[in-house]
Amino acid sequence: MSKQVAERAADGSGAVGDQPAAGRAPDRSRWPTGRSLRSAAWWHADCLAAVVTWIVGVPVALLIVHVFNRDPFTVGGSIMPIAVGAPIGAVLLVVALFRRSGVIVGVGLGAYASWFALTMAAALHGTPFGYGEMTGDQGRLVAMATKDATSWLPNDAVVPHLATEYPPLFPWLVGRASDVVNLPAWRLFHDAQIVLWTGSLLLGYLLWRRFVSPAVAFVLVALAPVVITDASKGYEFVTLVVILPWILATFAGLTRERGGMHWLSAGIIGGLIVLTYSAYLVFAGLGIVVLVALGLREAATRRVRLLHLLGVVVTAFVVASWYVVPFVVTTLTKGGNRISDLFLAPEIVLSPLGMPFLQASVLSILEILGLFGVVWYRRTTWWALPLLLIAASAFAYHGLFLLNTVHNDHTGYLEYTERLTGITLVAAGVLTVVETWPMVGRRVQVTPGRRAELALVAVAVLVSWTAVQGWEALMPAPRGISNVAAGCSPACPPAGAENLATRAQIEPLPDGQVPKYAPPSLVHVYPFPAQQVQQVITSVAGPNANPVVLSFDQRLFSFYADDGYVSPFRQSANTFERWDDRYAALQRLAGITDPAAFARASATTPFGPIDAFVLHANHSDGRWHFVTSVGFSPSSFDRSDFRIVRLPKSVVVAVRRPVAGS
């Protein structure tokens, strides 16, 4: 073992070392070594520094945003995170150059995560909403959280007493927090997204530190915000950040001393991944199976590995059972209409091969290096073969469902595989550079000290680029549009296209008003009078009633925990809602024009009663619509059976009157 490898093994960093001579078997001493209870990730000084810095830094970041109190659509409000973060980053770089220490790296990671909290808080300043809007995927999550605030069991976003298809942990936690602090769930997504997104970087760092040095772990997680920039899906982000080190620690056959994880810890994390977002686990599934099979070929450790695998699977199942068991039972006993993967995402035609390195960017260079690295080092390093199998598994899944999409338009969510292959190849690229860096330094005769300085500067440049890319994606755009509206000359045009932060800033509140910084030129969202609708329903049904509502706008369920008949959006509906079957029932109901027959039929549909109708009055055909193809005749609603109220924006509310004596 070389002196460098010995030193790394002694301090538990586990960084990769020198390449073995050609024709020789892999040197197992080059695997992560030096692990013990005393040197476990939580006990590393740099890990503790990262945790403490993040815990202190996030509240400070929120305070800074409050103190500056800037409109995020102005130039000053937009660049504020850069103006605050740049000098802090420069100071940390100078300190690291003069005193290379793992603790400094840990502080840097905590500060980096806190800076993202600053950026996100600045982007959402002035709006109570989180990234996104109250329709679509984000609206569905908010509706789930709103329901979960009233129940300890995970719920469908719309239909009551229905097993949820979407992984429930994140909205369930928000819903439980809503119940504790007595605030509507939709108001908590603002802070919940910040905590989850920035905390993901911390979790990823702690897991990667089982194998690699502080600086390498920092780079591995620092690049993640460029791979996935959708801040409304922090639950996807955290899964993407932790899944690679978890797979390595669980299935790569590493002993505890080399960074392998105990079956109980690995099973708990695996169960939490299933509860949070399981798609990346499915994409990597084939690679995990092959990795396990290759490990079981070693007869000497076969029994140990089988017991380890059994412990992981059983523990993960127990942790995720409150979601998995109802899901499986409902699938087997009731079935459903699986239509959510019929959404044909633009990414499918923008990147049909699912190979992120085909797009020209700084990240593509690392991904290409990673692709070569996993092939070149697959027999000589502990990380290359597992990462190769994960990337190959994602590629295989993508190719399979490309064919399936051609066959029947069911995509299997293949558009998300590129994120897993991207993060995998980026990680492989970083580890490839680390593997070859000492050899390159010796070839060009650069001293170890100078190599360390050059590496530190390169890391600083790469992280700065990542931060700027994240800032562009997270801040509302067009950036600076409020200055233009205030009379700024054409020499200062706004920059960027509308994004998820923009939608959070222009999303109407339940009373129809928009957040205070919403630029008038961008306010194009149809204002839905959710508060007035809810007041009408409650005034007729009573404050303690649970009427089943058919609403053409999903925002009613995002703001209020009403029981719904069916989701208004087919492609975002829970499979177990049986959307197509309910849609057919609504079409039959819409064909009934006799008021008495309509009142009876709407109270006894095949899927239960509809007690309140929230419909959109279409002036062109005179009908009240749930969706474009389902319109009810106004004459079907007898005022002796329904109270009918017309609200602004062509909204009609028809609530069934309670039966006398009921």
Side-chain angles (χ1 to χ4, degrees), residues 503-530:
R503 294 174 188 173
Q505 291 285 356
I506 64 176
E507 176 68 30
L509 297 162
D511 61 3
Q513 301 298 312
V514 293
K516 64 178 181 178
Y517 292 130
S521 61
L522 299 182
V523 177
H524 53 73
V525 180
Y526 183 91
F528 176 70

Side-chain angles (χ1 to χ4, degrees), residues 389-524:
L389 291 174
I390 295 170
S393 177
F395 281 135
Y397 184 96
H398 188 96
L400 174 65
F401 274 92
L402 273 181
L403 291 173
N404 196 66
T405 301
V406 173
H407 172 60
N408 58 20
D409 282 342
H410 282 275
T411 67
Y413 315 103
L414 66 89
E415 64 270 21
Y416 295 123
T417 59
E418 191 167 338
R419 295 175 179 176
L420 179 61
T421 54
I423 199 73
T424 303
L425 293 180
V426 165
V430 172
L431 294 173
T432 299
V433 171
V434 174
E435 190 77 34
T436 58
W437 184 251
M439 179 179 62
V440 172
R442 288 193 299 272
R443 292 284 181 88
V444 298
Q445 297 183 341
V446 177
T447 64
R450 185 57 56 87
R451 286 205 306 265
E453 292 176 352
L454 292 174
L456 188 59
V457 173
V459 167
V461 172
L462 187 61
V463 170
S464 298
W465 173 80
T466 303
V468 171
Q469 301 304 307
W471 169 79
E472 289 182 353
L474 294 173
M475 292 301 297
R479 296 183 296 278
I481 192 172
S482 291
N483 294 99
V484 175
C488 182
S489 69
C492 55
E498 291 185 26
N499 54 26
L500 294 173
T502 309
R503 294 174 188 173
Q505 291 285 356
I506 64 176
E507 176 68 30
L509 297 162
D511 61 3
Q513 301 298 312
V514 293
K516 64 178 181 178
Y517 292 130
S521 61
L522 299 182
V523 177
H524 53 73

Side-chain angles (χ1 to χ4, degrees), residues 256-467:
R256 297 284 298 283
E257 291 75 23
R258 289 169 173 166
M261 193 174 289
H262 189 278
W263 61 265
L264 181 61
S265 302
I268 291 173
I269 294 175
L272 292 175
I273 288 174
V274 173
L275 288 172
T276 304
Y277 189 72
S278 56
Y280 300 129
L281 189 58
V282 174
F283 302 155
L286 180 60
I288 293 173
V289 170
V290 175
L291 188 60
V292 169
L294 291 175
L296 291 177
R297 292 192 309 174
E298 299 182 18
T301 60
R302 187 173 300 162
R303 180 175 179 276
V304 173
R305 292 193 178 190
L306 281 173
L307 290 174
H308 171 79
L309 181 63
L310 180 62
V312 171
V313 172
V314 170
T315 303
F317 175 78
V318 171
V319 171
S321 59
W322 65 297
Y323 157 59
V324 172
V325 171
F327 177 87
V328 172
V329 169
T330 305
T331 300
L332 296 176
T333 59
K334 297 182 179 179
N337 304 134
R338 184 168 183 80
I339 51 182
S340 56
D341 70 337
L342 288 173
F343 173 66
L344 301 175
E347 292 84 353
I348 296 175
V349 290
L350 291 173
S351 182
L353 292 178
M355 298 181 180
F357 51 82
L358 296 180
Q359 304 170 16
S361 73
V362 174
L363 215 58
S364 298
I365 299 174
L366 267 179
E367 291 166 346
I368 293 172
L369 283 174
L371 184 59
F372 280 98
V374 293
V375 175
W376 183 263
Y377 289 119
R378 71 187 186 280
R379 297 184 185 277
T380 56
T381 62
W382 61 273
W383 52 267
L385 181 59
L387 295 185
L388 173 61
L389 291 174
I390 295 170
S393 177
F395 281 135
Y397 184 96
H398 188 96
L400 174 65
F401 274 92
L402 273 181
L403 291 173
N404 196 66
T405 301
V406 173
H407 172 60
N408 58 20
D409 282 342
H410 282 275
T411 67
Y413 315 103
L414 66 89
E415 64 270 21
Y416 295 123
T417 59
E418 191 167 338
R419 295 175 179 176
L420 179 61
T421 54
I423 199 73
T424 303
L425 293 180
V426 165
V430 172
L431 294 173
T432 299
V433 171
V434 174
E435 190 77 34
T436 58
W437 184 251
M439 179 179 62
V440 172
R442 288 193 299 272
R443 292 284 181 88
V444 298
Q445 297 183 341
V446 177
T447 64
R450 185 57 56 87
R451 286 205 306 265
E453 292 176 352
L454 292 174
L456 188 59
V457 173
V459 167
V461 172
L462 187 61
V463 170
S464 298
W465 173 80
T466 303

Side-chain angles (χ1 to χ4, degrees), residues 240-261:
L240 193 66
V241 171
V242 306
I243 195 167
L244 291 184
W246 175 74
I247 290 174
L248 292 172
T250 306
F251 303 108
L254 301 177
T255 64
R256 297 284 298 283
E257 291 75 23
R258 289 169 173 166
M261 193 174 289

Side-chain angles (χ1 to χ4, degrees), residues 90-121:
V91 169
L92 288 172
L93 175 60
V94 171
V95 172
L97 283 171
F98 284 95
R99 188 177 184 276
R100 289 189 290 276
S101 165
V103 172
I104 299 300
V105 176
V107 171
L109 186 280
Y112 181 73
S114 299
W115 179 82
F116 269 99
L118 175 70
T119 303
M120 296 175 74

